[in-house]
Amino acid sequence: MVHIILWSTFIMSLSAGVLLLCFQMPATDGVGVCFVAFAIGNGLYACWVSPRVKFCCKVLVKSLEPVSKFSDINRPIYLMLGVGFLWMSLWLLAVIGAINFYFPPLIIILLGLSLAWTTEVMRNIANLTVSRVIALYYLRGMQSSTHFCFQRAGTHNLGSACLGSIFVPTIEALRIVARGLNLLEGEDEFMFSCAHCCLKVMTSIFRNGNGWAFVQIAAYGKGFVKASQDTWELFERREMETVVDSDITSSICFLTGVCSGSMCVIVVAAWTFTVHKGFTATISLLAFFVGYLMTRIAMAVPHACVSCYYVCYAENPNNRLFDDTIRDRQNLIKSGRDVVVPTPRVPSRYARR
């Protein structure tokens, strides 16, 4: 499935882009170019991370083993999907009403940001629920009540879920941008210095706000910042930074959402162009947005399980529930037999030219 997600996202986003370009309207051309550009980047990313796929699959399969012991663990996901569907239905009505405001584009952008944050909160509530169930199973051997964990996530941990929903996507996005700027090494000394500084700053911020924190928030009720700091200290103590930093589970979950959104665009754009030609670009973007966000909520279970696997292993590597998957990976990296794929850079011989 990991291979299918990587390459089906490339195919679907490229198909959506080509379809929009075929409509030959300025608005659809602009959106179509964005989809095609993303598809090209996705294809290059799929080739680049191919050496990591085997380990990712191994961790994913191992981390999902405890799920079978909790028959109702998917109920919070279904509930969040239902709430999300109702909320998005109301949101779409708000978007239609925004046309009557003085600055419709600004209002729609603000509504889009509001929807993104709200659905991220829903996803993190589901994430916290699953994380508590799985983390307590790993750490204490308990089979917790999913219903109670869901109530706790929606009350006691709600503040951390809201805070994390703002900062984690922002920090992750800025970290990716900083890494991209770091590719300028050797091209321009001033630009490289700025990019290197930005990367260092974002790495420092990442220690105080990261997605791994949700496991300790769920298990111990810590605040978001404290949980982020403690989790990253655990990784450093176990020398796991390289292993977790090269994990592609979050990327797979993201690409699953993009694939779903692209499929929505293909269906909706074809229908809208026939019925309401002038709204093709707008409705296609809304369809992508809704499809992406709904799928991201649905992917909370595998994402939470993998996070619990790493964090709980860092707390107690000798737990009988863990095998030697991570330890073997660390040994291979240290011995140089399994080198983590570095970020590609422009060779200095080309930069000097």
Side-chain angles (χ1 to χ4, degrees):
M1 285 307 299
V2 172
H3 285 287
I4 291 173
I5 290 168
L6 283 172
W7 291 108
S8 63
T9 305
F10 166 74
I11 294 171
M12 289 300 171
S13 57
L14 183 62
S15 300
V18 171
L19 177 64
L20 291 171
L21 288 173
C22 289
F23 294 149
Q24 296 183 354
M25 295 188 296
T28 57
D29 287 347
V31 178
V33 167
C34 293
F35 273 98
V36 172
F38 178 86
I40 295 171
N42 179 56
L44 295 173
Y45 176 79
C47 296
W48 180 49
V49 299
S50 56
R52 307 185 199 174
V53 170
K54 183 178 180 181
F55 178 73
C56 173
C57 295
K58 192 173 182 180
V59 171
L60 190 59
V61 171
K62 185 66 180 175
S63 65
L64 288 172
E65 288 179 358
V67 172
S68 61
K69 301 181 183 298
F70 305 93
S71 59
D72 59 345
I73 199 169
N74 283 311
R75 288 182 184 175
I77 311 301
Y78 300 147
L79 180 59
M80 288 293 100
L81 285 173
V83 173
F85 176 79
L86 293 175
W87 182 255
M88 289 181 189
S89 300
L90 295 174
W91 179 83
L92 288 172
L93 294 176
V95 171
I96 295 172
I99 299 175
N100 297 320
F101 283 80
Y102 290 107
F103 302 103
L106 178 61
I107 300 299
I108 292 174
I109 290 172
L110 293 176
L111 285 172
L113 293 174
S114 173
L115 178 65
W117 176 74
T118 304
T119 51
E120 187 70 9
V121 171
M122 295 178 189
R123 186 179 75 88
N124 284 329
I125 289 174
N127 190 345
L128 287 167
T129 302
V130 177
S131 294
R132 182 169 177 83
V133 172
I134 302 299
L136 292 181
Y137 173 77
Y138 280 137
L139 299 174
R140 302 176 187 173
M142 296 171 54
Q143 292 198 5
S144 304
S145 167
T146 304
H147 180 70
F148 173 77
C149 294
F150 179 68
Q151 287 183 331
R152 180 183 173 90
T155 54
H156 184 72
N157 301 134
L158 183 59
S160 295
C162 294
L163 185 64
S165 299
I166 296 175
F167 287 105
V168 171
T170 305
I171 292 171
E172 289 284 359
L174 292 176
R175 197 165 178 241
I176 292 171
V177 172
R179 283 180 168 180
L181 291 175
N182 202 38
L183 300 180
L184 297 171
E185 179 179 2
E187 288 187 330
D188 183 89
E189 185 175 354
F190 174 74
M191 288 297 293
F192 168 66
S193 299
C194 295
H196 192 66
C197 179
C198 289
L199 184 60
K200 289 291 184 182
V201 171
M202 291 313 305
T203 302
S204 176
I205 295 175
F206 186 74
R207 296 172 183 270
N208 299 298
N210 54 74
W212 305 102
F214 289 113
V215 178
Q216 292 214 359
I217 292 171
Y220 302 118
K222 296 180 180 179
F224 175 71
V225 176
K226 177 64 175 174
S228 299
Q229 294 171 344
D230 291 348
T231 303
W232 199 253
E233 285 177 5
L234 273 176
F235 288 152
E236 290 179 335
R237 193 182 312 153
R238 303 295 181 187
E239 299 180 344
M240 290 175 56
E241 311 102 290
T242 305
V243 176
V244 299
D245 201 38
S246 62
D247 180 72
I248 62 172
T249 304
S250 59
S251 299
I252 296 299
C253 293
F254 167 74
L255 291 176
T256 305
V258 173
C259 182
S260 176
S262 300
M263 293 170 67
C264 293
V265 169
I266 293 171
V267 175
V268 172
W271 175 82
T272 308
F273 184 75
T274 304
V275 182
H276 301 288
K277 187 175 181 179
F279 295 97
T280 304
T282 303
I283 296 179
S284 296
L285 284 175
L286 293 177
F288 174 81
F289 204 40
V290 171
Y292 168 80
L293 294 174
M294 291 289 283
T295 305
R296 288 289 282 160
I297 295 175
M299 292 298 291
V301 170
H303 196 186
C305 288
V306 171
S307 297
C308 287
Y309 189 81
Y310 281 114
V311 176
C312 294
Y313 176 86
E315 286 201 30
N316 184 12
N318 299 318
N319 191 319
R320 61 181 178 81
L321 296 173
F322 298 112
D323 59 8
D324 294 329
T325 300
I326 296 178
R327 187 178 293 109
D328 291 344
R329 174 75 167 174
Q330 288 177 296
N331 292 335
L332 287 172
I333 292 174
K334 289 178 181 178
S335 64
R337 288 179 292 170
D338 190 358
V339 180
V340 176
V341 181
T343 302
R345 301 185 185 280
V346 177
S348 57
R349 63 178 180 275
Y350 296 122
R352 284 195 295 268
R353 293 178 186 177

